[in-house]
Amino acid sequence: MSHDQRPVSGLSSRLDIALSLEENKPDTKTFPDLGSPVSPLRSRTGGPANTSSSSSSSGSFSANRTLPGTRKSGELSSGSGESSPTGPRPVHRRSGSTGPLIYSGGSSSGHNSSGHTSGGASSGVGTGGSSTASSPMTNVLPAGNICPSGKIGRPGAVPPRTSTRSDVLGTGTGNYGHGSIMWGGSVHATNPNSSNFQEATKRGNEYYKRGLFLDALRLYDKAVSMSPDNASCRSNRAAALIGLGRIGEALRECEEAVRLDPTNGKAHHRLAGLNLRIGLVDNARKHFSLAAHGQPPDQTEMRKLQDIEGHSAKCIDARRIGDWKSTLREADATVSAGADSSPLIFALRAEALLKLHKLVEADSTLSGLAKLESSVPASSPVKVFGMISSSYIQIVRAQVDMALGRFDTAVAAAEKAKQLDPTNTEVTSLLNKVRLVAQARLHGNELFKSGSFADACTAYGEGLKHEPFNPVLYCNRAACWSKMGRWEKSVEDCNEALRIQPNYTKALLRRANSNAKLERWTDCVRDYEVLRKELPGDKEVAEGLFHAQVALKMSRGEEVSNLKFGGEVEAVSTLEQFQVAISLPGVSVVYFMAPGNAHCNQITPFVDVLCTRYPSANFLKVNVNESHAVARAENVRIVPTFKIYKNGTRVKEMICPSQQILEYSVRHYSL
């Protein structure tokens, strides 16, 4: 094939179909300027013989190159009397096809490939025959081999060049599909109408509808990479991020979408919803209005916005006057209304819990807050209580860390608050306080290790002057009182620590030891019971509980000679052994079981645990398959069965009890 007959590689063989003369009239529509250097030609639509797909399109010119007798790219129009409003643009048949060869160029008199002229019509030359038709207008850009003169060159001839710039073929990811010609050798952004782009978006939508947000995000990322300036792509990506709970990223993606297309109602609506979730009501109201395009916003959304606005305002007002119960209630109401990702509301909730001495819940709230702080737009800081909201969040974190004994992280959080809001006097004051408390605790610890217990008490007391609600300092000072034998003072400081942090295990253990020294056995057993729940596998706690229970029984005049710590479940095989065991002073728990029974297999490990937890009780085990006499005497027909005896008298019988009921009964009769 000669050079001038070689088809442009962007033409697909699927275009080789027979076209009627009427169908070869140029399209008179003006194509939109898509902001690309390539001519915005579209594939022919309509006609029963059109079999081309969206992945194949004709070659096209750069908009910066003007050919003789043509308009600039994007300004296609037909000559007078030669076009049909619905007709397809001319198609240039490549050599070897069976249809007519139509080319652009020439007027009513044109040159065919042999150099002959014909008046009023041009001859299409192809291997399958010939036909005559009106010549296409010269201002229509061709879809086949490009000849700037409007002529088809002779076989073997080198086509003339009108520019020194190099031409490159599009890679198939350009605006107009495979074979798009671009002057200067540059390939530009992907057309959102390309098949790859549409396929990625379609599959992403399918995954999104099925709730597979991570898979949807992967495909939306692919679509964004092909068309980074497409607002809809950005909005789709934001939807997938919302589904994954990545609120901060979704917010930024929606902001980019509305920047690219300020009229994108869906992106505005999505951005409004995100602003509601992070508690920025004014921003949400603005974007709801923009999403409505001048129409009244949806009333349901407006009610939700008003609920969030109202509850958050009440929450802030309650915090100002120190009404911590109302602060907590309104913070929870704000979250329930829809602001479930607001760092400010979560910080208010954490501070209220701290002031109400619910430190574990406050710490848990802050753990969730750490994932939300990135959602607050740095470009529009919110002020609350006279300080920047991000600084207030760090202040709350510093106070919670300090209350839980994390003094180093508390100082770091307070210093960060100072960096965020350097001129705020409240932030500066709190930073100084946190530093003083941390220094007092460190100095007290050093004195305690050196054995200077009285001086350590004084150091911890200095810290309490700056922070009178710090359970760690109270507990540390209680340890000093205990070392000096001042048990009553130790109990008092432990009481203060536990009032602030009720399940503070160190304070419970020290108070139990001090109560034991004061022979307050009921209080001692109660503390050890709480510790046993908090530390079920702790041997020190189990042993302390045993000795406290024995001492309590002795104080009541009960027989304790047969009680022993760390016993195991004792197997009983004869009726005589059984009667002796249940007649012993104290509590005996008898477990009637059968090996291989499913229920017995499930509860046997728990019986071993109870034996360790309640060492003052005597645990017995009877295998009903081997000890028929005992089973008959006790009328046991179903296993597992538990019977509790106290001083030889049966006080409780349970058939297939749950673990909770079994433990409750053992604990009740062991005390």
Side-chain angles (χ1 to χ4, degrees):
M1 181 184 297
S2 63
H3 182 84
D4 62 331
Q5 291 176 312
R6 187 178 297 114
V8 178
S9 63
L11 286 175
S12 171
S13 61
R14 286 177 289 179
L15 289 177
D16 296 338
I17 57 176
L19 301 175
S20 66
L21 295 180
E22 287 298 322
E23 288 178 329
N24 284 327
K25 291 185 178 179
D27 193 344
T28 60
K29 284 188 177 181
T30 301
F31 292 87
D33 183 4
L34 299 182
S36 167
V38 244
S39 176
L41 290 177
R42 297 176 294 183
S43 59
R44 185 179 63 84
T45 60
N50 186 6
T51 59
S52 62
S53 69
S54 60
S55 62
S56 300
S57 62
S58 63
S60 52
F61 281 111
S62 166
N64 296 324
R65 183 176 178 84
T66 305
L67 296 180
T70 65
R71 295 177 182 266
K72 291 184 178 180
S73 173
E75 299 179 351
L76 299 180
S77 65
S78 64
S80 60
E82 294 295 331
S83 66
S84 170
T86 60
R89 61 178 174 78
V91 178
H92 184 182
R93 283 286 159 217
R94 67 177 181 176
S95 176
S97 66
T98 58
L101 181 62
I102 306 299
Y103 60 90
S104 64
S107 58
S108 57
S109 297
H111 294 269
N112 59 22
S113 58
S114 301
H116 301 140
T117 62
S118 60
S122 61
S123 300
V125 181
T127 60
S130 64
S131 64
T132 57
S134 299
S135 298
M137 302 310 299
T138 59
N139 61 349
V140 178
L141 296 181
N145 293 332
I146 309 303
C147 299
S149 65
K151 303 175 183 179
I152 301 298
R154 293 187 301 275
V158 178
R161 302 288 298 197
T162 58
S163 171
T164 59
R165 290 180 295 180
S166 60
D167 304 342
V168 297
L169 295 180
T171 62
T173 60
N175 276 336
Y176 305 104
H178 304 286
S180 298
I181 293 182
M182 304 173 193
W183 302 106
S186 62
V187 179
H188 293 264
T190 300
N191 181 8
N193 293 322
S194 72
S195 61
N196 289 339
F197 174 87
Q198 291 177 352
E199 178 65 17
T201 302
K202 178 182 176 182
R203 290 180 59 204
N205 292 346
E206 291 171 353
Y207 280 128
Y208 181 86
K209 291 175 183 177
R210 292 161 54 190
L212 303 173
F213 302 120
L214 191 60
D215 292 324
L217 180 62
R218 176 174 53 82
L219 289 162
Y220 290 150
D221 284 342
K222 182 178 180 181
V224 168
S225 68
M226 289 190 284
S227 185
D229 294 334
N230 188 299
S232 295
C233 286
R234 299 283 184 175
S235 184
N236 286 350
R237 188 173 187 275
L241 289 167
I242 293 170
L244 292 169
R246 292 155 63 175
I247 304 301
E249 294 176 69
L251 185 79
R252 290 186 286 273
E253 202 69 12
C254 279
E255 287 174 340
E256 178 65 10
V258 299
R259 185 192 69 80
L260 292 168
D261 182 7
T263 65
N264 191 313
K266 185 173 288 187
H268 277 295
H269 190 275
R270 198 161 276 150
L271 185 54
L274 287 167
N275 274 286
L276 266 189
R277 291 186 66 177
I278 65 173
L280 299 181
V281 177
D282 291 339
N283 285 357
R285 183 180 285 109
K286 178 185 74 174
H287 288 290
F288 274 136
S289 177
L290 292 170
H293 296 299
Q295 300 298 319
D298 184 86
Q299 290 305 306
T300 302
E301 293 167 343
M302 288 300 100
R303 282 194 296 272
K304 181 178 179 180
L305 185 150
Q306 290 164 5
D307 287 345
I308 292 173
E309 188 174 37
H311 287 302
S312 60
K314 290 178 182 178
C315 181
I316 291 171
D317 290 341
R319 190 269 182 190
R320 282 197 179 99
I321 63 176
D323 184 355
W324 301 112
K325 288 185 178 179
S326 296
T327 302
L328 180 60
R329 183 179 63 252
E330 292 300 332
D332 288 341
T334 306
V335 172
S336 297
D340 59 357
S341 301
S342 170
L344 176 59
I345 296 300
F346 273 73
L348 285 163
R349 186 178 192 275
E351 186 180 23
L353 289 166
L354 171 68
K355 300 300 183 182
L356 294 170
H357 308 313
K358 297 181 179 181
L359 294 185
V360 175
E361 292 180 61
D363 192 39
S364 176
T365 299
L366 284 179
S367 297
L369 172 60
K371 302 175 182 178
L372 301 174
E373 287 180 280
S374 61
S375 300
V376 178
S379 57
S380 57
V382 178
K383 281 212 166 188
V384 61
F385 317 124
M387 66 183 82
I388 296 173
S389 61
S390 55
S391 178
Y392 165 71
I393 291 169
Q394 294 301 322
I395 289 296
V396 174
R397 175 172 282 113
Q399 293 180 82
V400 173
D401 283 338
M402 187 166 58
L404 290 170
R406 300 191 291 254
F407 292 92
D408 292 340
T409 54
V411 171
E415 289 175 344
K416 186 174 181 180
K418 178 69 174 177
Q419 294 172 0
L420 293 167
D421 201 353
T423 61
N424 188 280
T425 56
E426 186 177 350
V427 173
T428 302
S429 175
L430 188 131
L431 173 58
N432 293 334
K433 183 176 77 171
V434 171
R435 284 174 173 168
L436 289 171
V437 174
Q439 290 171 2
R441 177 252 189 179
L442 181 61
H443 185 46
N445 288 355
E446 291 172 349
L447 291 169
F448 185 90
K449 291 176 182 177
S450 67
S452 302
F453 303 119
D455 292 336
C457 274
T458 302
Y460 293 135
E462 287 297 318
L464 287 167
K465 290 179 182 178
H466 300 291
E467 179 54 40
F469 298 103
N470 191 281
V472 176
L473 295 179
Y474 278 117
C475 189
N476 287 0
R477 194 169 69 174
C480 295
W481 296 128
S482 179
K483 288 291 185 180
M484 293 187 289
R486 302 182 65 177
W487 315 114
E488 197 68 56
K489 295 288 288 183
S490 177
V491 170
E492 289 176 4
D493 273 356
C494 285
N495 288 341
E496 286 298 315
L498 290 165
R499 185 176 62 84
I500 300 168
Q501 188 177 349
N503 291 331
Y504 189 4
T505 55
K506 281 189 177 181
L508 279 167
L509 188 59
R510 282 172 184 161
R511 188 172 71 177
N513 289 334
S514 296
N515 278 323
K517 297 294 184 180
L518 294 168
E519 296 186 356
R520 297 172 180 170
W521 300 115
T522 301
D523 293 337
C524 183
V525 168
R526 183 173 58 246
D527 284 343
Y528 275 122
E529 281 288 328
V530 176
L531 284 165
R532 183 191 54 76
K533 293 179 183 178
E534 296 292 325
L535 306 168
D538 191 286
K539 186 176 180 180
E540 180 185 355
V541 170
E543 189 171 358
L545 174 60
F546 170 74
H547 290 301
Q549 288 174 333
V550 170
L552 179 61
K553 290 178 184 295
M554 289 178 64
S555 69
R556 294 172 178 172
E558 298 180 16
E559 176 61 44
V560 295
S561 59
N562 292 312
L563 294 178
K564 56 186 182 298
F565 172 71
E568 297 178 352
V569 179
E570 181 182 351
V572 174
S573 58
T574 67
L575 186 58
E576 291 75 20
Q577 286 179 314
F578 174 78
Q579 290 174 344
V580 170
I582 64 174
S583 299
L584 293 173
V587 175
S588 296
V589 180
V590 185
Y591 170 36
F592 294 90
M593 49 80 66
N597 180 276
H599 291 122
C600 292
N601 291 341
Q602 290 177 358
I603 205 164
T604 293
F606 187 66
V607 175
D608 295 332
V609 171
L610 292 179
C611 185
T612 303
R613 288 183 182 176
Y614 301 93
S616 63
N618 185 31
F619 283 82
L620 308 173
K621 178 173 64 175
V622 177
N623 184 344
V624 297
N625 292 339
E626 297 177 353
S627 305
H628 301 290
V630 178
R632 283 196 302 269
E634 292 296 309
N635 196 28
V636 175
R637 299 180 179 181
I638 301 174
V639 291
T641 292
F642 290 87
K643 295 187 180 185
I644 300 178
Y645 295 82
K646 191 166 187 178
N647 299 324
T649 302
R650 189 173 66 198
V651 294
K652 185 75 173 179
E653 180 175 353
M654 296 166 284
I655 299 174
C656 299
S658 66
Q659 292 184 5
Q660 292 79 6
I661 293 176
L662 178 59
E663 181 171 12
Y664 172 80
S665 301
V666 172
R667 180 173 66 249
H668 175 73
Y669 291 105
S670 296
L671 298 179

